[in-house]
Amino acid sequence: AISLVNTTLRDASGNIISLPNNTVWQGDIINYTHAQHRRLFFRLSLPFDQDLDEVREMWFAIAKEHPDILNDPGPSFTCPWTAYYEHAITAELRAWCTKPDYRPIYLSTLQRLQEQIQERGIKLAPPLLRVTQ
């Protein structure tokens, strides 16, 4: 809904988001529910001594074995630069599925990811606690 003062949106979880119109006019709005496919996205924080090839291999094996994860577009594994490189490497794991099946596929993929991290002995970096004064 758009009024003279603000724009009201509903996110995929049903939450109501109210934005000032100047924010809407200056930024981008991405409608994830309009597309036929949805992206599965998992972010891992890894210590510097973790073998990234092992994590990449694990992710592609999980994506390949799941019958509802799409081959086109295919899964991806990236390690973008982040401000947390002083602490850990961030790995971003992505794959795609059909929109109506998103929630159960996301949960089953997350469970498989958790199992494989434990079975393979992949280490995750502890959270970085920032102290503010």
Side-chain angles (χ1 to χ4, degrees), residues 1 7-11 14-19 24 29:
T7 299
T8 304
L9 308 168
R10 184 182 312 268
D11 71 9
N15 299 313
I16 302 294
I17 302 165
S18 182
L19 301 167
V24 175
I29 297 175

Short mmCIF file of all heavy atoms in Angstrom, two decimals, residues 1 7-11 14-19 24 29:
data_model
loop_
_atom_site.label_atom_id
_atom_site.label_comp_id
_atom_site.label_asym_id
_atom_site.label_seq_id
_atom_site.Cartn_x
_atom_site.Cartn_y
_atom_site.Cartn_z
N ALA A 1 0.84 -1.18 0.00
CA ALA A 1 0.00 0.00 0.00
C ALA A 1 0.89 1.24 0.00
O ALA A 1 1.91 1.26 0.68
CB ALA A 1 -0.91 0.01 1.22
N THR A 7 5.17 3.78 2.46
CA THR A 7 4.79 2.60 1.69
C THR A 7 4.81 1.41 2.63
O THR A 7 5.75 1.24 3.40
CB THR A 7 5.76 2.37 0.52
OG1 THR A 7 5.71 3.51 -0.34
CG2 THR A 7 5.43 1.12 -0.26
N THR A 8 3.77 0.59 2.59
CA THR A 8 3.67 -0.57 3.47
C THR A 8 3.81 -1.84 2.63
O THR A 8 3.13 -1.99 1.61
CB THR A 8 2.31 -0.57 4.21
OG1 THR A 8 2.19 0.66 4.91
CG2 THR A 8 2.23 -1.73 5.19
N LEU A 9 4.70 -2.72 3.07
CA LEU A 9 4.97 -3.97 2.38
C LEU A 9 4.71 -5.14 3.32
O LEU A 9 4.81 -5.00 4.54
CB LEU A 9 6.43 -4.04 1.92
CG LEU A 9 6.97 -2.87 1.11
CD1 LEU A 9 8.48 -2.96 1.00
CD2 LEU A 9 6.34 -2.87 -0.27
N ARG A 10 4.49 -6.31 2.76
CA ARG A 10 4.39 -7.55 3.54
C ARG A 10 5.50 -8.47 3.04
O ARG A 10 5.58 -8.76 1.86
CB ARG A 10 3.03 -8.21 3.36
CG ARG A 10 2.84 -9.45 4.22
CD ARG A 10 1.49 -10.13 4.00
NE ARG A 10 0.37 -9.22 4.02
CZ ARG A 10 -0.34 -8.91 5.11
NH1 ARG A 10 -0.06 -9.46 6.26
NH2 ARG A 10 -1.35 -8.07 5.04
N ASP A 11 6.38 -8.94 3.97
CA ASP A 11 7.47 -9.82 3.55
C ASP A 11 6.99 -11.27 3.43
O ASP A 11 5.83 -11.58 3.69
CB ASP A 11 8.69 -9.69 4.47
CG ASP A 11 8.50 -10.26 5.85
OD1 ASP A 11 7.49 -10.94 6.12
OD2 ASP A 11 9.39 -10.05 6.70
N GLY A 14 5.14 -12.77 6.26
CA GLY A 14 3.88 -12.15 6.66
C GLY A 14 4.05 -10.90 7.51
O GLY A 14 3.07 -10.31 7.95
N ASN A 15 5.28 -10.49 7.77
CA ASN A 15 5.53 -9.28 8.56
C ASN A 15 5.18 -8.03 7.75
O ASN A 15 5.42 -7.98 6.55
CB ASN A 15 7.00 -9.21 8.98
CG ASN A 15 7.40 -10.37 9.84
OD1 ASN A 15 6.70 -10.73 10.77
ND2 ASN A 15 8.53 -10.98 9.52
N ILE A 16 4.63 -7.04 8.42
CA ILE A 16 4.30 -5.77 7.78
C ILE A 16 5.49 -4.82 7.97
O ILE A 16 5.97 -4.62 9.09
CB ILE A 16 3.03 -5.14 8.41
CG1 ILE A 16 1.84 -6.09 8.30
CG2 ILE A 16 2.73 -3.78 7.79
CD1 ILE A 16 1.38 -6.34 6.89
N ILE A 17 5.94 -4.25 6.87
CA ILE A 17 7.09 -3.34 6.89
C ILE A 17 6.61 -2.00 6.36
O ILE A 17 6.05 -1.92 5.27
CB ILE A 17 8.23 -3.88 6.01
CG1 ILE A 17 8.65 -5.27 6.50
CG2 ILE A 17 9.41 -2.92 6.00
CD1 ILE A 17 9.48 -6.04 5.52
N SER A 18 6.82 -0.95 7.13
CA SER A 18 6.43 0.39 6.73
C SER A 18 7.70 1.21 6.47
O SER A 18 8.56 1.32 7.34
CB SER A 18 5.59 1.04 7.83
OG SER A 18 5.17 2.31 7.42
N LEU A 19 7.80 1.76 5.26
CA LEU A 19 8.97 2.53 4.87
C LEU A 19 8.58 3.95 4.50
O LEU A 19 7.56 4.15 3.80
CB LEU A 19 9.63 1.88 3.64
CG LEU A 19 10.10 0.44 3.78
CD1 LEU A 19 10.42 -0.14 2.42
CD2 LEU A 19 11.31 0.39 4.68
N VAL A 24 11.88 4.55 -0.21
CA VAL A 24 11.42 3.73 -1.33
C VAL A 24 11.89 4.32 -2.66
O VAL A 24 12.39 3.62 -3.53
CB VAL A 24 9.88 3.58 -1.31
CG1 VAL A 24 9.39 2.84 -2.55
CG2 VAL A 24 9.43 2.88 -0.04
N ILE A 29 13.49 -2.21 -4.52
CA ILE A 29 12.61 -3.17 -3.86
C ILE A 29 12.69 -4.45 -4.66
O ILE A 29 12.47 -4.45 -5.87
CB ILE A 29 11.16 -2.66 -3.80
CG1 ILE A 29 11.08 -1.39 -2.97
CG2 ILE A 29 10.24 -3.74 -3.23
CD1 ILE A 29 9.72 -0.75 -2.94
#
